Amino acid sequence: MRADYTEIFQDEATVEKYEHVVYAPDSYASAINRRQRAYLRRLAKRAFPYRRPVQHDFACGTGRAIRILHGLVRGAHGYDTSAAMLAKAEEVGAYAELHHVAAEGEVPDPAPTEVPALVTIFRLLLNVDNDVRERAIAFSAKVLPNYDAGLLVVENHGNRHSLRHLRHARHTGSPWFAELDHTEVAELLDRHGFTIVEQRGFALFTQGWYGRRGLRTLARLVDDFVARTGWGGTWAVNVLYVARRTRPVD
């Protein structure tokens, strides 16, 4: 993993690449984003049938998760250490109150809102060190002090139990290749009093399959099926974990 991940996204050119190249309309990441959007919008309707939640998106970046849930939350707050990311989020239409937070020090305080709440953490855990991971989940615990306060949704876009793992030896020493397994994510959440209540996979196949014209159609069909039904999620490259606060932590 990169020790300078936070600093990298202070650069405007990097932010532009993230928004317009990584998430280009026909890219692997945008295909996963489309599936996640469908799943999360169904989840929001199912989990909050009586009152829409307020979204707190930690490490919000360009506001992708905020845009996914627009119209299904009664308010949204985005938090990030990068002013460049927050500026891009505002530019591309992330309808939220955006908060610039420090990269180190005390765990940031969330904006005061009423329950229920929905906390989202996307594309963060895989690329940062343990201290940053702990900080992100500690922030979530501030927003969600008890079971009835709402839901936490965390993304792992490098599941160790997926086809992606077959390339790990080739990428030994690469700061951009990291992996997390389901147990590591569950243990991280448990340290802050969260229990995973649902998980869903969004791509069994790796990015390389999408770059080959003959394989792309098959990969998309299978990955759409996995995301829609939940089948095979244990071995998906990209996974979302849905958790609730089940106990206090001293």
Side-chain angles (χ1 to χ4, degrees):
M1 68 186 66
R2 300 196 66 104
D4 59 347
Y5 183 77
T6 300
E7 289 77 13
I8 287 171
F9 286 99
Q10 305 294 336
D11 178 64
E12 291 184 7
T14 303
V15 173
E16 287 291 329
K17 179 179 179 182
Y18 179 82
E19 179 66 21
H20 298 295
V21 177
V22 175
Y23 281 94
D26 199 37
S27 68
Y28 180 69
S30 66
I32 291 173
N33 185 67
R34 172 179 54 79
R35 298 180 195 116
Q36 288 179 340
R37 183 181 190 277
Y39 168 75
L40 287 171
R41 291 183 73 83
R42 290 195 303 268
L43 175 69
K45 293 175 183 178
R46 168 167 51 90
F48 304 100
Y50 304 113
R51 191 182 192 200
R52 291 180 297 169
V54 174
Q55 182 182 11
H56 295 263
D57 189 24
F58 192 78
C60 67
T62 60
R64 179 171 60 94
I66 293 169
R67 285 176 275 162
I68 280 175
L69 288 167
H70 179 66
L72 292 179
V73 296
R74 67 181 194 278
H77 295 268
Y79 309 81
D80 206 282
T81 61
S82 168
M85 280 288 202
L86 294 174
K88 177 57 68 174
E90 185 172 13
E91 177 186 322
V92 299
Y95 293 100
E97 293 186 38
L98 302 175
H99 308 271
H100 188 218
V101 297
E104 299 177 341
E106 294 293 323
V107 176
D109 289 324
T113 57
E114 295 181 355
V115 296
L118 176 59
V119 181
T120 47
I121 303 175
F122 280 58
R123 290 184 76 94
L124 177 72
L125 298 189
L126 191 69
N127 298 317
V128 296
D129 61 28
N130 287 330
D131 288 344
V132 178
R133 291 171 185 158
E134 299 287 348
R135 196 166 187 261
I137 307 305
F139 170 86
S140 305
K142 284 189 172 186
V143 181
L144 304 169
N146 54 58
Y147 185 91
D148 294 323
L151 293 177
L152 166 62
V153 180
V154 178
E155 181 183 34
N156 172 12
H157 61 292
N159 174 24
R160 185 175 282 112
H161 299 305
S162 68
L163 286 174
R164 183 177 181 269
H165 179 70
L166 298 177
R167 296 184 295 154
H168 78 282
R170 187 188 313 169
H171 293 280
T172 300
S174 169
W176 282 114
F177 191 89
E179 298 178 295
L180 285 172
D181 63 36
H182 304 310
T183 299
E184 288 174 300
V185 176
E187 289 176 348
L188 168 64
L189 297 178
D190 178 70
R191 286 195 290 274
H192 297 271
F194 288 97
T195 299
I196 296 172
V197 296
E198 188 173 324
Q199 73 180 54
R200 183 66 61 95
F202 296 90
L204 279 181
F205 294 98
T206 60
Q207 186 170 355
W209 286 69
Y210 281 63
R212 301 177 183 179
R213 184 172 301 176
L215 300 176
R216 183 185 303 174
T217 300
L218 172 63
R220 283 182 169 174
L221 287 172
V222 172
D223 286 345
D224 284 348
F225 176 79
V226 168
R228 186 173 63 253
T229 65
W231 180 88
T234 299
W235 304 282
V237 174
N238 182 286
V239 182
L240 290 184
Y241 307 88
V242 181
R244 281 192 182 271
R245 189 81 181 277
T246 52
R247 58 181 174 82
V249 177
D250 294 332

